[in-house]
Each structure stands twice: as structure tokens, then as C-alpha cells.
Amino acid sequence: MPVAPKIQHGFAEVNGIRLHYAETGYDKSELVLLLHGFPEFWFSWRNQLPVLGEHFHTVAPDMRGYNLSDKPSGVENYTIDVLVNDVTALIDHFGKEKAAIVGHDWGAGVAWAVAQFRPERVSKLAVMQVPPAAVWRANLSLRQLLRSWYMFFFQLPRIPEWLIQRNNFQSIERTFTEMVFTKNTFSSSDIELYKEAMRKPGAVSAAVNYYRANVRRIMSNRRQIEHKPDGPVPIPTLFIFGEEDFAIIPETVKGVEKFVHGPYQELRLPHSGHWVQNEAATEVNRALLDFLEA
């Protein structure tokens, strides 16, 4: 039986900041980047790093503002164009022209944007739970708006930070215990690691600033990278959706294929929730390997 690749850690100076990353398969030639969402860090990909690392140079960064990565102050440091530049600079850091990009939650939003605005830097795209912004707008409903209440709450100053941190980050604990379809997906030690990452100075405000910087853009389509509108994705794309997501209803992700002009695959998982790469790790890993190796 092959031994799973060891996870190693490093730092990259990119786009004016320092990003921490975990990596496996560093002796492989093809680069795969795993982009996490809120309120996570590289650990979100603990079930994927050893598996993908057997075949690819697999890198899971702490996105800017999270865990051991730098946390610049100011909402303007978390706009989607800044985050796209982080990703392309990270590809440069590893000496590659292109990378396969895998994203979940906010990482999915960033992955879509990289594929739309810098497609020459992306070999393949795999996204989980979050559709392109244009699909979100096309399918937006009152039911979805009610599910997305927190996105608007996070626009408030200071109050979201206070709520997240109160009672020893009880909101983080509830996120990974109550907002999970597959119960006991996250152990108490897992949850403590997520809390510890959010305890880093500046981490909570940085995480909330992703919403403050980008929600209006997603809803209105007013400001885009270099003033370009959301366009179709021209590269091979895999979309994975756990249909028991507490935040995104299945109707909101209908028609993703209309916004992908490259080869398109979709995997719906009826017995998984939002944390699909953890709740349905076996299915997700199999789908990622089949897609990335094809």
C-alpha cells in the first residue's frame, strides 16, 4: 500500500504580502491550488492534500487574512481583484505558467474570478458549492436571500466581529456542529483548530472583510476586475454541489453550464451539506482525481 505524501509547510511572498501554505507532492510537475472559504484555513483540505499529492504538486494556502498568512487592514485589501492577484502570484511563486484551481465557498468565488479574468493561468477549474456571480444573480430568489442573511449582517461595522468572538468563539463551534448535514464530520479537536486560526490578531475582521469588499459586486455586477463584466469560463470545469447546504439552495446553482464555454461536468451530492470536501470526502476525492487526470 502506498504511503500518503507528507504535508509540508512554507511561506510565499506574493502581491505585497506573505501567504502561508501547506503542500504535498512537491516533486510532481503539475500544480494544483486548493482555495478555502469562510471561516476556514488550509486545514479545510486535510482530506484532499494526501490524495491529490500522490499525483500532483498540491498546495493549500491560508488565504490572505487567515491563520498564518498576513492580514492587512482595510476592506480595500480584500476585493476580488486583489484576491485574484494573490492566486496568480502564487502560481508564479512555484514557477508555473498555469495551475489547476480548486475552490470552496469564498475560495470558489475567487477560483471563478481567476478563470474568468485570467484564464491563461488556469489549466482546469473545480469549484464547490458556490456558482459564478452571474448564475447567483440570475437565480436569486427571496428564499435564497433569507438563507444569505449573514452576508448582509456582515456589512455592519464591528458588530459581526464581536458576535463571532463572543463566548470563546461559540459561533465557530456552532458552524461546524449545527450547520453540518453529516453529523460528527468535525471533531472537537478540529473545531479547536478553526477557533485557534480565528484567534490570530486581525483574523476575524479580515474574514468578514471578504463580504464587505465583494457582496455588492456579486449582487449588482457594477464593479469588475479592470471594469470587465462577468464572462463565461473558457476552460474545463467541474462543479460539485452538496444539496443539503445550509446557505445555498439547489435552485440557486441551476444553469451553471450556461456560463462555462469549456468542457463541463457537474456532480450533485444529495446527502452532503456545505462542507462537501469534508462531509463527502471520498466522493469528492474520486471526482477530483478523475477530472484532474483526464
Side-chain angles (χ1 to χ4, degrees), residues 104-122:
H104 171 258
D105 192 80
W106 269 113
V110 176
W112 282 117
V114 177
Q116 287 171 317
F117 300 111
R118 299 298 303 275
E120 75 281 0
R121 307 306 306 272
V122 185

Side-chain angles (χ1 to χ4, degrees), residues 108-169:
V110 176
W112 282 117
V114 177
Q116 287 171 317
F117 300 111
R118 299 298 303 275
E120 75 281 0
R121 307 306 306 272
V122 185
S123 58
K124 290 186 177 181
L125 175 70
V127 282
M128 303 177 195
Q129 299 309 111
V130 175
V135 173
W136 179 275
R137 290 190 295 271
N139 294 328
L140 194 59
S141 64
L142 176 60
R143 186 173 168 222
Q144 180 57 65
L145 284 171
L146 292 173
R147 291 285 188 100
S148 303
W149 66 270
Y150 62 93
M151 296 170 60
F152 306 103
F153 172 72
F154 283 170
Q155 305 305 308
L156 298 174
R158 296 185 295 277
I159 297 176
E161 285 92 333
W162 170 80
L163 184 64
I164 291 170
Q165 295 176 81
R166 69 187 295 267
N167 293 336
N168 188 29
F169 289 85

Side-chain angles (χ1 to χ4, degrees), residues 9-31:
H9 295 264
F11 289 87
E13 302 287 339
V14 299
N15 199 22
I17 63 168
R18 189 172 79 149
L19 292 183
H20 168 261
Y21 60 84
E23 67 175 336
T24 56
Y26 37 85
D27 56 338
K28 307 294 192 300
S29 59
E30 186 172 351
L31 179 63

